Amino acid sequence: MDINNLNMLDKECSALGGLFQSVMTDMKGSYPVWEDFASKALKLHSSIKATSIAATTFLEAFQRIADMATNTKGATRDIGTALTRLCIRQKSIESKMKHFTNVLVENLVGPLQERIEDWKKVALMMDKDHAKEYKKARQEIKKLSSDTVRLQKKVKKGSIDKQKQLLRHLHYVNDKYLLLEEIEKNAVRHALIEERSRFCMFVNCLGPVVDVELEMLSEITHLEEIMDVLKKHSADPKSLPDASEHLIRDIRGSETTSFFQTPPSSPSSIGSRKSSMCSISSLNSSSSGSTNNSHSPSHHLRYKNLSQV
């Protein structure tokens, strides 16, 4: 056992102590980052909630258009059916969006805010306990080292009986350094576990949020299928669906003809028709007047004179 080995142990213990302090500094400096994330997550929750409300009214209006297309006389029923399917899928996404806002707060932001305060307390306690144990071990090593230096001086002066005592003190100092080294290793291990556990907790809280996002993304496949159908139906506006062609062919002589009578004329056309009828009436009156005039006395007189000639 020599002084060089003790110096090496001392450097190793100092390095471990520095690593512990570095990990603790990182954890203490992380609190503003965690708190900022929680704050931004709450803002995201508010924004998505407002978007969800707007999406509800949008989809209600969308559904009315789909219903209007479905309830036509046959020209757009295929498009209306596809639009209704699309609206249903959009409502499913909206429902998952609402679920996302709830999970974001209940499973992520809430637990994270609670744990931040616990993390601060745990880190403070770890730092205090480490400082207490480190200081105690260092004081013991310092005292033994002082005794060892004193004994070394006596041995150098030729005090042979102090040789065994010096070796014994060197052994004590070595044991204390080994004990301090083990204390520092455990402290660093504990700090690293605490640091890692925080991120593990974060990932566990983030899991349900991402699961809901994946559920929303799974709806994209259904939307793509419906949009393919809509593109096919709306590719050529001049091409009527089979249902419309059947309606046109079957309406003649069908009992449904009574449901498709010509609508009444507008007020302006009624007025125009009335004026036309008045013109026809006046024309008839003129013709009638002419006929009556042909049977008047003067007409008979002219006829009589001509017969005499």
Side-chain angles (χ1 to χ4, degrees):
M1 183 64 59
D2 56 14
I3 301 299
N4 291 331
N5 290 335
L6 295 179
N7 291 335
M8 184 63 67
L9 288 173
D10 183 73
K11 290 180 180 180
E12 291 177 358
C13 291
S14 298
L16 289 170
L19 178 58
F20 174 84
Q21 291 300 330
S22 177
V23 175
M24 296 303 298
T25 300
D26 290 342
M27 284 195 289
K28 291 177 182 178
S30 68
Y31 301 138
V33 180
W34 292 114
E35 290 169 349
D36 180 66
F37 174 82
S39 176
K40 295 300 190 299
L42 287 175
K43 289 182 179 180
L44 176 63
H45 169 265
S46 300
S47 299
I48 296 178
K49 191 173 182 179
T51 302
S52 179
I53 295 173
T56 300
T57 57
F58 166 77
L59 292 176
E60 289 175 353
F62 190 101
Q63 183 64 64
R64 287 193 290 270
I65 291 178
D67 293 341
M68 185 170 58
T70 304
N71 294 327
T72 59
K73 300 303 182 291
T76 59
R77 287 183 180 178
D78 54 342
I79 297 177
T81 301
L83 287 175
T84 299
R85 290 179 56 203
L86 181 62
C87 187
I88 291 173
R89 288 299 176 185
Q90 293 283 2
K91 288 181 179 179
S92 176
I93 295 175
E94 179 212 2
S95 175
K96 289 180 173 60
M97 187 185 300
K98 291 179 179 179
H99 183 48
F100 174 82
T101 58
N102 294 331
V103 172
L104 185 65
V105 173
E106 296 175 2
N107 292 71
L108 182 60
V109 179
L112 183 60
Q113 288 178 331
E114 294 177 359
R115 294 303 297 272
I116 289 175
E117 296 302 321
D118 293 337
W119 291 343
K120 291 179 180 179
K121 296 177 181 178
V122 170
L124 182 62
M125 186 62 65
M126 287 175 59
D127 210 1
K128 287 183 177 180
D129 292 342
H130 172 262
K132 183 179 179 180
E133 291 182 356
Y134 184 82
K135 183 178 180 180
K136 180 180 179 181
R138 277 295 183 182
Q139 287 177 347
E140 293 177 352
I141 290 173
K142 184 178 180 181
K143 184 178 181 301
L144 289 173
S145 297
S146 298
D147 295 339
T148 302
V149 170
R150 189 175 62 255
L151 289 172
Q152 282 179 328
K153 290 179 180 180
K154 291 181 179 180
V155 170
K156 287 180 180 180
K157 291 179 180 180
S159 179
I160 300 179
D161 59 333
K162 298 295 182 180
Q163 185 69 34
K164 293 183 179 179
Q165 189 176 358
L166 174 61
L167 293 174
R168 190 165 53 250
H169 272 76
L170 288 172
H171 184 73
Y172 289 159
V173 172
N174 183 75
D175 290 344
K176 290 297 181 181
Y177 269 118
L178 292 176
L179 179 61
L180 177 59
E181 183 182 28
E182 191 63 28
I183 291 173
E184 290 302 290
K185 286 180 180 180
N186 290 333
V188 171
R189 190 177 292 109
H190 189 190
L192 293 174
I193 291 174
E194 176 63 25
E195 185 179 44
R196 182 178 178 81
S197 66
R198 298 182 179 188
F199 288 94
C200 291
M201 176 265 178
F202 175 73
V203 172
N204 290 332
C205 293
L206 191 64
V209 179
V210 177
D211 288 341
V212 178
E213 287 181 312
L214 292 175
E215 290 177 5
M216 285 192 289
L217 292 176
S218 66
E219 293 289 340
I220 293 177
T221 304
H222 301 292
L223 293 179
E224 290 176 347
E225 294 174 356
I226 297 172
M227 285 307 302
D228 289 341
V229 173
L230 281 171
K231 289 177 182 178
K232 181 179 178 181
H233 290 334
S234 60
D236 186 5
K238 296 181 180 180
S239 177
L240 290 173
D242 294 338
S244 298
E245 295 294 347
H246 288 311
L247 178 65
I248 294 172
R249 289 195 301 267
D250 297 343
I251 195 169
R252 185 177 180 180
S254 174
E255 296 179 357
T256 59
T257 54
S258 60
F259 293 101
F260 301 102
Q261 296 177 354
T262 302
S265 302
S266 61
S268 59
S269 61
I270 293 174
S272 177
R273 187 174 298 175
K274 182 178 180 181
S275 62
S276 300
M277 293 299 293
C278 291
S279 300
I280 294 172
S281 176
S282 61
L283 181 62
N284 291 335
S285 298
S286 300
S287 301
S288 176
S290 300
T291 305
N292 292 336
N293 289 336
S294 64
H295 297 285
S296 62
S298 60
H299 177 75
H300 286 291
L301 182 60
R302 285 196 301 270
Y303 179 76
K304 184 177 180 181
N305 292 335
L306 288 173
S307 64
Q308 290 177 351
V309 174

